[in-house]
Amino acid sequence: MEQDVRRFLYNRCKPNESLPPEDERNVDLDRFGSRRVRGINWVDRLAGRVELSDDPVFGLFTGLPGSGKSTEILRLLRRLRDPGRANLLTVLVQAEDVLDITNPIDIPDILMAIMYATEATVLEAEGKDPKTALREGYLVRLLAWLRNTDVELSKAEYAVPEGPQLVFEMKTRPTLRQKIRTAIAAHLTKFLSDVREEMTLLNQRARQSGRQGLVVVLDSLEKLRGISTNWHDVLGSAERVFAGGAPYLQLPVHIIYTIPPALVSRRFEQVEFMPMIKLHDQKGNPWRDGFAAARELVRRRVPDSEINEMLGPGGESRLERLIAWSGGYPRELVRLLQAMIAIPRMPLTDDDFERVLNEVGDAYRKVVPADTFEWLAQVSLDHYLTLQSEAHRQTADLMLSNNVVLRYLNDTDWFDLHPAVEQIPGVLEAKKKLAVSRSPVSPVIVDGGRNPPQTD
């Protein structure tokens, strides 16, 4: 394979890239095949409530990083702004752009970021330049009010260049962020009232611009995870913000928040959880529609001719194994493809092929501590997140955040281990012991249904 071709294909396989609906690499997985490979059509599920409801819809959405959640959100927003359907003015707020997702979050941070993005979007719809018009916008008035109510914010060390920059200053200046949080907390009722009033006015302006109103999506908040020293504090802040139906974050417009997947172990109500591509059912039987959907995902990135050149004779069998090893995890599959394209020798030797798979296994072993083996064995056998203690809950948080445990959906949801985790010796041994303890009959330990379907 020529170097320029390899370079082109390598860059078509960026594992962290979210694809807009019009991208030729985008596969609408929920419309692929005769049976749903992710249980339901997720855009239909999310859009349906917004399109049918006379009242503002509040939604929580999550998914493991790389499950395709952000790609589906882009598809959702395209549908909701369709003039022939909901005809809404869509606002997409990327949390990682406006919030410090490595530290605990709070309600003022989120609402101010939403207000900034929404006002800028409405101004653009009105044909105005946000950079100029925002100088007289909500954040300028908010900053003036805060300075009048809190003497400390008038001091030089808290100076903010311009009101519109307040959100970004808060992201990068922890001292300022905490001071503003404290000032708002002392007047929280007024702050919330003002935000809702401003959002109502923005919704009316969206209608005057020819739309039927606003819909806001705060995406990438599922990446909120902090660092090793504050991981539980950051996750705890998200739990506090979204607990109890998140009444302070409900606004007079349609709004959908992404949340960290670890919060599902807190049993939040009405959380939509994007599953992986189902490659097997709970009994380990191959799900051919799932393999076909994953195969199409590969084809859109790397055409068949290049796949054959890269994998050589028996390439389809290798590809089936590659798909099975991904566990139906889209980002993992794209990452594996990119890793193989990076190998200069083509077709790949058996050693090269095995090395790529083993590197994935090694990466998972590094994030799976030995004291989680017994719990992981229980998930593998039961396909359920059994939480018997706070320690179990913390384990579930960590395993979900690192894609060690994957979610699938039939009529009901179920969980399984990533194939690389399934093969960790300590997990295999824990599974064997658990199976023996449950039955007087010597159990047959299967590989968790990880073998791909046999090809003709």
Side-chain angles (χ1 to χ4, degrees), residues 371-372 375-376 390-400:
D371 61 2
T372 65
W375 182 79
L376 290 172
E390 181 58 29
H392 272 188
R393 188 183 304 281
Q394 293 183 9
T395 297
D397 293 346
L398 183 63
M399 297 299 100
L400 283 168

Side-chain angles (χ1 to χ4, degrees), residues 222-271:
E222 83 285 350
K223 298 177 182 178
L224 183 76
R225 57 192 302 172
I227 56 179
S228 59
T229 56
N230 70 350
W231 192 85
H232 290 295
D233 290 339
V234 171
L235 188 60
S237 73
E239 182 179 3
R240 289 190 297 274
V241 164
F242 289 102
Y248 295 154
L249 296 181
Q250 297 190 29
L251 297 172
V253 300
H254 303 300
I255 188 160
I256 298 172
Y257 296 92
T258 63
I259 64 173
L263 292 187
V264 299
S265 68
R266 269 66 180 168
R267 303 193 182 282
F268 280 20
E269 296 182 359
Q270 301 297 322
V271 179

Side-chain angles (χ1 to χ4, degrees), residues 4 30 54 66 112 117 197 219 249 290 330 334 371 376 387 400 433 436 438:
D4 58 341
D30 297 330
D54 291 333
M112 290 167 65
E197 181 179 346
D219 190 22
L249 296 181
V334 174
D371 61 2
L376 290 172
L387 304 176
L400 283 168
K433 290 181 179 179
V436 168
R438 291 180 172 184

